[in-house]
Amino acid sequence: MNDRRRPSLRGRRHSAGPRPDATAPEESMDPRAPDPTPPVERSLIDSALYVDGQRVASPTTLADTYRDLHERPGAMAWIGLYRPAAAQLLSAAEEFGLHELAVEDAIVAHQRPKLERYGETLFAVLRAARYLDETEEVDFGEVHVFLGRNFVLTVRHAESPDLAAVRRWVEDRPDLLKRGPEAVLYAILDSIVDDYAPVVAGLQHDIDEIENEVFLGEPNVSRRIYELGREVIEFQRAGRPLLDMLRDLSAGFDKYGVDEELRRYLRDVEDHATTVVERVDGFRQMLQNIMAVNAALVTQAQNEEMKQLTQVSLAQNEEVKKISAWAAILFAPTLIGGIYGMNFDEMPELHWVAGYPFAIALMILVCVTLYVLFKRRGWL
């Protein structure tokens, strides 16, 4: 598909404005002042009504949102919640007829990415990701999206994705927003897939570093390979189901009358998601290869160490042989000299005139004989 037809979301996270809509409006007020907002409404980050792509109302409570939506038959409501209380979700479930299983998933969180349809309501669980340069780790987020005929309900349980930036971006494009709740879903999906790009770049950088560390023989590289492998697997679990979700959406285009232009946008998101998934699959294979190479290098280094130890041991054995040989050679004259030096009165050959020359000759003969024997055996 021609990318020029797709309104890119690039750069929206660098626009002015607050951090993700995890920051509630009341946090800008004096913390010492009493909070007039009921506890059940504190996680209502933003709520708005749109007519023909234009924001026409910004209710501050769920009750006001329901009332304004009933008073404006052609309006669409977009409610953004951050870690809401069960009472808030139950209230929305009663108002919009949400299925109890989907509501339970949104309350409990920690769900796998999925797309389910309950009657006229579409329920999506999406996993966002962002790369943290400071710690060189991937941080995963989770968002639940309920889509109905005239409403969008988003429930976040982490800092990402930045739905406040998504809302600002789509509000600047009323021609897109007027296409209905599916346009909001497209914007969220596109934001999540766009946010995958820095993660892919960060993982690629980490893999390049690990490759260098492997060949430099860094001692802790095996642990880093293992930890990075876990992040890649987690990233696969976040991104791969997204492809199936986008394909399921495409399969229902005709049945649910999705706008033709939105179909093009969603197919473009699917193309980008496919690229991300393919690269992440490649990362996993690369890490497996790096792990195998590292194991081979570690084994080679261990073999070299064993070879050096063996050579040292052989050299020591040669030295021990030489020392033992010379010790045996020197022991023979010492033994003879010791016997004839005992100074007993009754001792054979003690007063023999040729005794001294005989003892010296015997010492020399024994030493020479031992030297020749050790030399032939290679000990000397």
Side-chain angles (χ1 to χ4, degrees):
M1 176 181 172
N2 190 341
D3 286 343
R4 291 178 297 178
R5 305 190 64 177
R6 170 177 175 265
S8 175
L9 297 182
R10 304 286 183 188
R12 65 185 183 281
R13 283 172 291 279
H14 302 287
S15 59
R19 273 289 299 163
D21 48 39
T23 304
E26 61 266 24
E27 291 182 359
S28 63
M29 301 171 58
D30 186 351
R32 295 169 297 179
D35 187 358
T37 307
V40 74
E41 298 292 348
R42 290 176 184 171
S43 57
L44 176 61
I45 304 305
D46 196 0
S47 180
L49 264 66
Y50 301 92
V51 175
D52 292 331
Q54 301 287 343
R55 182 188 281 239
V56 295
S58 301
T60 57
T61 66
L62 289 177
D64 291 342
T65 303
Y66 305 153
R67 186 188 64 250
D68 291 349
L69 186 60
H70 288 303
E71 292 176 354
R72 300 175 184 267
M76 178 191 74
W78 182 359
I79 303 171
L81 300 177
Y82 177 72
R83 294 178 180 172
Q88 285 179 296
L89 285 177
L90 293 175
S91 171
E94 182 179 357
E95 174 65 25
F96 299 120
L98 307 181
H99 196 279
E100 59 180 357
L101 293 178
V103 174
E104 181 181 354
D105 288 344
I107 293 175
V108 176
H110 304 293
Q111 304 295 318
R112 64 175 181 83
K114 59 182 178 179
L115 181 70
E116 296 178 345
R117 185 173 290 276
Y118 299 95
E120 295 184 354
T121 302
L122 189 66
F123 175 62
V125 179
L126 306 173
R127 295 290 304 279
R130 57 177 179 169
Y131 186 80
L132 305 179
D133 292 319
E134 299 80 5
T135 58
E136 294 186 340
E137 295 178 348
V138 181
D139 178 56
F140 294 94
E142 183 176 339
V143 60
H144 300 244
V145 184
F146 295 87
L147 263 75
R149 180 181 54 84
N150 61 346
F151 73 91
V152 178
L153 174 64
T154 56
V155 181
R156 287 193 306 114
H157 292 277
E159 290 296 317
S160 59
D162 187 353
L163 295 185
V166 175
R167 188 187 290 265
R168 290 194 300 271
W169 178 86
V170 76
E171 285 180 349
D172 290 338
R173 291 157 180 81
D175 58 327
L176 175 64
L177 187 55
K178 70 181 181 180
R179 301 178 189 275
E182 291 83 1
V184 177
L185 178 61
Y186 153 72
I188 295 173
L189 288 169
D190 190 65
S191 171
I192 290 175
V193 174
D194 279 353
D195 287 344
Y196 285 166
V199 178
V200 171
L203 291 175
Q204 180 66 68
H205 177 72
D206 289 345
I207 291 175
D208 293 340
E209 286 186 346
I210 285 176
E211 286 181 333
N212 294 331
E213 291 177 0
V214 165
F215 290 103
L216 291 175
E218 293 291 337
N220 296 324
V221 68
S222 296
R223 180 182 181 87
R224 190 176 180 190
I225 294 173
Y226 173 76
E227 293 175 347
L228 186 59
R230 291 184 60 181
E231 289 185 347
V232 169
I233 292 174
E234 189 69 18
F235 196 18
Q236 282 183 311
R237 292 174 179 171
R240 181 168 289 281
L242 191 60
L243 286 180
D244 296 331
M245 296 167 61
L246 289 166
R247 289 164 185 161
D248 290 343
L249 284 173
S250 299
F253 283 165
D254 293 330
K255 181 177 180 180
Y256 296 99
V258 178
D259 182 86
E260 184 63 32
E261 193 69 10
L262 281 178
R263 298 185 187 191
R264 299 190 182 97
Y265 295 158
L266 287 170
R267 281 193 290 268
D268 187 70
V269 174
E270 182 180 349
D271 291 341
H272 290 183
T274 301
T275 301
V276 170
V277 170
E278 289 176 349
R279 291 199 62 185
V280 176
D281 290 344
F283 289 163
R284 188 171 183 180
Q285 184 62 46
M286 289 175 63
L287 287 172
Q288 291 176 348
N289 295 337
I290 292 173
M291 181 67 81
V293 171
N294 182 62
L297 292 176
V298 169
T299 301
Q300 182 180 355
Q302 291 175 344
N303 291 338
E304 290 294 329
E305 291 179 359
M306 290 298 298
K307 182 179 179 181
Q308 293 177 1
L309 290 175
T310 302
Q311 291 175 346
V312 170
S313 177
L314 292 174
Q316 290 176 343
N317 289 340
E318 292 298 323
E319 296 297 327
V320 169
K321 288 180 181 180
K322 292 179 181 180
I323 294 172
S324 300
W326 284 113
I329 292 172
L330 295 175
F331 175 73
T334 302
L335 177 63
I336 296 172
I339 291 175
Y340 282 97
M342 289 189 292
N343 298 324
F344 289 110
D345 290 335
E346 300 296 336
M347 189 173 179
E349 304 167 352
L350 186 60
H351 299 288
W352 186 28
V353 176
Y356 177 73
F358 175 77
I360 296 298
L362 182 61
M363 291 180 189
I364 294 174
L365 177 62
V366 172
C367 289
V368 171
T369 302
L370 290 175
Y371 179 83
V372 172
L373 291 174
F374 288 137
K375 191 71 174 177
R376 288 181 177 179
R377 292 176 177 270
W379 286 33
L380 292 174

